């Protein structure tokens, strides 16, 4: 398995291009199942999770072609055309779903378009139990008959068409809102989703569905009204920039006391992260192409953080902020309210000299003057990148194992950081250097 080796301590200076949002793309791609016409998606990131979703969709019978010219060594400039003219298979098999939980997002569209679906239950995950009960309850309210058999959700719709319903989510769920939104777009009558997720990726999906002919009101609010339509048509849609990739490189600038311009990034999507960065002492300024984050003349101070649904502080930035707080002056309390097991990076950061005590859902971080490099390993995507960030700030060598987690969510991470002066390299599986 590939590893990443970092020699830390260099302030990063330069420019980093921000790609399309992974979590928006993973909801937009299954939306192609809702129409027999072509959905063209541009600004898709080039990531392992996107390939997994493409594999899943192709085994449902979706035909795909990647057109246009690649720029910046990634997928920028390329357009993925997805056409679900004939859905030949409505089963999402365990082998694909276990690789990526977002596979469950085919359930709503398959039920709406075909009236049946069999989707493997994703099972547990490194950051929590992550059930999909709220997705299933919403679809049942819309008339689906659902059973769990042999590890699969087996669902059908008596009469063939889902019906509009009043769905009240007892807690905010991004994937649950997305599945219900897609199902409701083709249901008979009106669906109201109360306590809907307001994440920008959910709004991106809603905008794309509207471009496909869906009737949705209330975007960006906690209540969505969807008038089901008879059919949806093809559309061209560009994925919004990744706010978590943006926030991660913003932390890279701050943790190395550097200065990085984030090109193509949208500042309005990360206001809660910006607030924390500014409070701890970083400077953020608009540029013509995005914005820059600079911490080169400042000492940073600890700030308290609590993760919350959007527009609150994102759980997907919690690990990165913990790495930053580990190098700030004073103490910081970090509270995780979304996932029950999202502190797996703590023991690894501790191996690099971070002082962190976890009490239930909260962690007290006491900043140290310097972290020290160490071999580390992580269990999920954001935990992995927090260790890369810590390695960039640490004295000496850090080797991050299990890089496949990073490749699921960060495109060319080592190239982007090296372009800003980081001493970072990928050690390929089997290299003598290992
Ligand atoms: C999405 O996951 C993201 N994934 C996650 O990104 C992100 O951390 C999360 O939203 C929260 O922002 C994608 O968009 C592909 P939820 P999702 O449903 O939709 C509980 C990353 O690193 N819940 O909003 O699965 C659940 O267990 C990742 O990119 C139920 O109890 O998250 C959690 O505690 C990881 N029953 C909370 O709700 C359900 O049926 C929020 O989960 C659904 C969720």
């Amino acid at each position: 398995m590939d590893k990443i080796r970092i020699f830390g301590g260099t302030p990063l200076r330069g420019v980093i291009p921000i790609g399309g949002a992974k979590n928006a793309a993973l909801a937009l791609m299954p939306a192609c199942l809702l129409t027999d016409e072509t959905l063209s998606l541009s600004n898709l990131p080039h990531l392992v999770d996107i390939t997994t979703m493409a594999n899943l969709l192709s085994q449902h019978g979706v035909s795909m072609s990647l057109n246009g010219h690649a720029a910046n060594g990634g997928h920028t400039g390329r357009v993925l055309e997805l056409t679900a003219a004939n859905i030949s298979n409505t089963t999402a098999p365990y082998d694909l779903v276990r690789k990526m939980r977002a596979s469950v997002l085919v359930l709503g569209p398959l039920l709406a378009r075909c009236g049946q679906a069999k989707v493997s239950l994703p099972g547990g995950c490194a950051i929590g139990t992550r059930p999909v009960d709220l997705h299933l309850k919403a679809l049942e309210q819309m008339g689906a008959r659902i059973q769990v058999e042999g590890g699969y959700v087996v669902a059908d719709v008596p009469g063939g068409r889902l019906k509009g319903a009043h769905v009240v989510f007892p807690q905010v769920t991004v994937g649950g809102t997305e599945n219900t939104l897609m199902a409701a777009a083709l249901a008979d009558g009106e669906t109201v989703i109360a306590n809907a997720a307001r994440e920008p990726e959910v709004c991106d999906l809603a905008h794309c569905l509207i471009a496909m002919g869906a009737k949705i009101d209330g975007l960006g609010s906690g209540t969505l009204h969807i008038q089901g339509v008879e059919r949806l048509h093809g559309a061209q849609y560009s994925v919004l920039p990744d706010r978590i990739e943006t926030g991660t490189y913003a932390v890279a600038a701050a943790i190395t006391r550097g200065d990085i311009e984030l090109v193509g990034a949208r500042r309005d999507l990360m206001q809660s992260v910006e607030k924390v960065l500014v409070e701890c002492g970083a400077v953020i300024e608009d540029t013509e192409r995005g914005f820059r984050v600079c911490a080169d003349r400042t000492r940073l101070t600890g700030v308290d953080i609590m993760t919350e649904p959007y527009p609150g502080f994102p759980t997907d930035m919690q690990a990165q902020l913990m790495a930053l707080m580990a190098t700030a002056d004073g103490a910081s309390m970090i509270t995780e309210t979304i996932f029950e097991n999202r502190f797996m990076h703590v023991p690894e950061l501790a191996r690099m000299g971070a002082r962190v005590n976890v009490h239930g859902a909260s962690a007290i971080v006491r900043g140290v003057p310097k972290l020290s490099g160490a071999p580390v390993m992580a269990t999920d995507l954001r935990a992995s990148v927090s260790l890369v960030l810590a390695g960039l700030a640490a004295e000496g060598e850090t080797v991050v194992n299990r890089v496949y987690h990073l490749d699921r969510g960060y495109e060319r991470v080592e190239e982007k950081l090296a372009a800003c002066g980081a001493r970072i390299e990928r050690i390929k599986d089997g290299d003598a250097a290992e």
Side-chain angles (χ1 to χ4, degrees):
M1 244 178 263
D2 291 4
K3 301 172 181 182
I4 282 190
R5 178 157 56 199
I6 304 161
F7 290 94
T10 312
L12 301 190
R13 291 177 201 288
V15 173
I16 292 185
I18 297 302
K22 167 184 81 88
N23 288 346
L26 290 176
L28 290 164
M29 291 171 73
C32 77
L33 294 167
L34 292 164
T35 173
D36 58 1
E37 295 182 16
T38 300
L39 175 63
S40 301
L41 296 176
S42 53
N43 201 34
L44 279 174
H46 190 190
L47 298 169
V48 172
D49 273 9
I50 300 299
T51 308
T52 306
M53 181 58 86
N55 290 340
L56 176 62
L57 293 172
S58 61
Q59 70 84 46
H60 288 311
V62 175
S63 61
M64 266 171 252
S65 66
L66 192 58
N67 305 310
H69 296 289
N72 301 326
H75 266 198
T76 313
R78 306 200 88 177
V79 178
L80 182 67
E81 295 195 339
L82 304 117
T83 313
N86 296 302
I87 296 178
S88 50
N89 179 356
T90 53
T91 299
Y94 177 62
D95 270 358
L96 285 170
V97 178
R98 75 181 167 82
K99 283 189 189 160
M100 188 184 67
R101 302 180 54 86
S103 307
V104 78
L105 293 175
V106 299
L107 180 60
L110 285 174
L111 274 181
R113 170 101 179 269
C114 309
Q116 60 173 45
K118 184 176 168 189
V119 175
S120 171
L121 275 170
C125 142
I127 60 176
T129 49
R130 302 185 72 184
V132 291
D133 56 321
L134 302 176
H135 302 228
L136 304 187
K137 274 185 196 143
L139 294 167
E140 273 176 341
Q141 268 188 270
M142 298 176 73
R145 268 193 317 209
I146 296 183
Q147 287 181 328
V148 176
E149 283 169 16
Y152 278 77
V153 173
V154 182
D156 70 342
V157 184
R161 268 181 83 82
L162 291 167
K163 290 184 273 301
H166 194 118
V167 175
V168 182
F169 283 120
Q171 79 183 89
V172 174
T173 160
V174 172
T177 305
E178 291 167 341
N179 241 334
T180 311
L181 195 52
M182 287 190 274
L186 278 187
D188 277 337
E190 186 185 48
T191 299
V192 178
I193 309 178
N195 200 22
R198 292 189 280 163
E199 269 64 8
E201 295 74 22
V202 176
C203 294
D204 213 36
L205 171 65
H207 281 298
C208 177
L209 293 173
I210 290 169
M212 293 168 72
K215 294 198 164 61
I216 305 170
D217 280 329
L219 266 63
S221 80
T223 308
L224 296 171
H225 291 259
I226 306 109
Q227 295 292 340
V229 295
E230 198 64 37
R231 64 184 298 274
L232 294 173
H233 51 71
Q236 297 180 348
Y237 195 76
S238 178
V239 182
L240 92 168
D242 197 314
R243 66 193 167 104
I244 306 300
E245 186 191 26
T246 305
T248 301
Y249 291 124
V251 171
I255 201 168
T256 62
R257 312 305 189 252
D259 186 344
I260 300 179
E261 182 184 8
L262 301 165
V263 171
R266 270 181 54 188
R267 199 169 163 182
D268 60 308
L269 299 180
M270 47 163 270
Q271 290 191 349
S272 58
V273 175
E274 168 167 344
K275 191 166 165 279
V276 171
L277 289 174
V278 169
E279 214 178 313
C280 81
V283 175
I284 300 185
E285 288 170 354
D286 283 333
T287 63
E288 276 180 17
R289 303 180 295 177
F291 62 91
R292 62 187 270 260
V293 181
C294 164
D296 58 355
R297 280 183 289 274
T298 33
R299 291 186 66 79
L300 299 182
T301 49
V303 174
D304 293 344
I305 298 154
M306 183 184 290
T307 64
E308 286 173 322
Y310 191 84
F313 189 90
T315 174
D316 291 346
M317 281 299 301
Q318 181 257 108
Q320 298 90 314
L321 256 293
M322 185 180 289
L324 179 63
M325 294 301 134
T327 70
D329 289 346
S332 156
M333 183 158 91
I334 298 182
T335 304
E336 172 61 54
T337 72
I338 308 292
F339 292 109
E340 68 272 24
N341 193 25
R342 216 176 190 181
F343 283 139
M344 298 293 277
H345 41 286
V346 170
E348 300 298 310
L349 287 172
R351 301 190 69 247
M352 301 178 71
R355 291 178 60 207
V356 187
N357 284 318
V358 176
H359 299 280
S362 293
I364 305 284
V365 186
R366 293 187 176 83
V368 294
K370 260 292 172 216
L371 295 172
S372 59
V376 286
M377 164 134 59
T379 43
D380 84 279
L381 168 61
R382 310 302 172 186
S384 302
V385 87
S386 78
L387 299 174
V388 170
L389 294 169
L392 292 170
E395 253 165 20
E397 179 185 299
T398 296
V399 175
V400 182
N401 293 284
R402 296 205 183 161
V403 166
Y404 66 89
H405 287 300
L406 274 178
D407 293 337
R408 291 186 57 181
Y410 290 92
E411 184 174 332
R412 297 178 298 115
V413 63
E414 68 277 20
E415 275 178 51
K416 290 187 182 188
L417 290 168
C420 294
R423 292 175 62 203
I424 180 168
E425 62 175 346
R426 181 177 290 247
I427 307 168
K428 289 270 180 207
D429 190 18
D431 274 6
E434 266 185 271

